[in-house]
């Protein structure tokens, strides 16, 4: 199976992983598609460590920036100072929940941390950098939801010809539903709003 570009008018997808097909019946052409994903990559581990440095009681921004630069240098051959990263993200506007035009799109999302606080704006801008890098580096790996929940990121899906589907910080859809077998055994399901 080869990578390609596929999609429709509003969105195009560039698949990150190739799949291989296991035929159960070659004549009928049926079987199972398998995707192989690396569970722990150096890229993701460096981003996690940089985030941990920033979330310490006394943030260690210089160590976080060093980890960011290891990634940036390996991918682009460039490195940045702490001030360059902070200034770049400080200059960005927060993306609004409801877009009035395509010019409103931005990489910076308002964060509402769940269970912890961000000590200052410099640290927040470095976290914005990490969230942006993680979003790009881990595309198609299903890890974005962890950041959305942890940082209370609110967003909306803009659907052509329909009302925006908005997920606010207190939306009950953020709770992961417990398995149906556990609910059937008597444990109350997590409340959901539809």
């Amino acid at each position: 199976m080869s990578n390609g570009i596929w999609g429709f008018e509003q969105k195009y997808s560039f698949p990150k992983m190739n799949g291989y097909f296991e035929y159960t019946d070659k004549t009928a052409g049926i079987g199972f598609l398998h995707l192989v994903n690396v569970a722990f990559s150096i890229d993701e581990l460096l981003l996690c460590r940089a985030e941990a440095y920033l979330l310490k009681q006394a943030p260690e921004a210089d160590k976080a920036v060093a980890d960011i630069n290891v990634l940036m240098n390996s991918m682009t051959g460039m490195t940045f100072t702490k001030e360059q990263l902070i200034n770049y993200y400080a200059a960005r506007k927060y993306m609004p929940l409801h877009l009035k035009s395509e010019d409103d799109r931005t990489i910076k999302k308002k964060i509402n941390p769940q269970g912890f606080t961000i000590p200052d704006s410099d640290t927040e801008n470095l976290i914005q950098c990490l969230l942006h890098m993680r979003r790009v580096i881990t595309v198609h790996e299903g890890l974005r939801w962890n950041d959305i929940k942890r940082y209370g990121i609110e967003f909306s899906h803009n659907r052509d010809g329909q009302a925006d589907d908005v997920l606010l910080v207190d939306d009950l859809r953020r709770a992961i539903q417990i398995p149906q077998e556990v609910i059937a055994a008597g444990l109350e399901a997590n409340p959901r709003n539809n």
Side-chain angles (χ1 to χ4, degrees):
M1 178 179 238
S2 64
N3 280 342
I5 301 172
W6 50 272
F8 50 93
E9 271 183 47
Q10 252 189 319
K11 175 179 152 182
Y12 291 97
S13 181
F14 300 85
K16 179 178 182 178
M17 295 170 265
N18 269 339
Y20 69 91
F21 198 80
E22 172 193 357
Y23 287 98
T24 54
D25 184 341
K26 281 198 173 208
T27 307
I30 59 173
F32 301 101
L33 177 64
H34 299 280
L35 295 176
V36 178
N37 187 25
V38 177
F40 298 103
S41 70
I42 295 296
D43 300 345
E44 173 63 9
L45 291 174
L46 278 170
L47 290 173
C48 287
R49 185 170 74 174
E51 183 177 4
Y53 284 139
L54 292 172
L55 295 179
K56 289 177 82 168
Q57 190 76 25
E60 297 182 40
D62 291 331
K63 288 183 178 180
V65 170
D67 284 347
I68 289 169
N69 277 325
V70 168
L71 282 173
M72 291 302 289
N73 189 40
S74 71
M75 293 179 198
T76 66
M78 300 179 349
T79 59
F80 300 94
T81 66
K82 178 173 67 173
E83 290 72 26
Q84 286 174 314
L85 293 173
I86 289 169
N87 292 338
Y88 179 81
Y89 286 91
R92 301 288 160 285
K93 295 186 301 185
Y94 290 108
M95 184 165 159
L97 267 180
H98 300 284
L99 298 176
K100 294 188 178 25
S101 75
E102 286 300 311
D103 294 336
D104 290 343
R105 288 193 187 280
T106 177
I107 56 176
K108 189 173 179 181
K109 313 293 189 267
K110 183 78 176 142
I111 60 175
N112 308 288
Q114 302 299 296
F116 61 96
T117 58
I118 307 297
D120 54 47
S121 62
D122 286 354
T123 304
E124 183 195 339
N125 285 313
L126 290 173
I127 287 173
Q128 291 285 351
C129 175
L130 287 171
L131 291 172
H132 183 204
M133 289 180 72
R134 185 178 287 129
R135 189 173 186 186
V136 171
I137 290 169
T138 65
V139 68
H140 299 174
E141 293 180 20
L143 299 176
R144 179 71 173 154
W145 184 245
N146 298 329
D147 291 337
I148 288 171
K149 285 187 59 124
R150 185 171 59 257
Y151 286 99
I153 298 170
E154 297 181 334
F155 67 92
S156 65
H157 284 287
N158 312 111
R159 301 175 299 175
D160 194 26
Q162 299 179 38
D164 293 347
D165 185 7
V166 179
L167 185 74
L168 299 174
V169 72
D170 59 352
D171 195 308
L172 295 176
R173 292 176 292 174
R174 286 181 181 266
I176 296 174
Q177 191 54 272
I178 59 176
Q180 189 61 45
E181 298 83 22
V182 176
I183 296 170
L187 190 62
E188 187 176 331
N190 287 330
R192 307 288 290 205
N193 53 356
N194 297 326

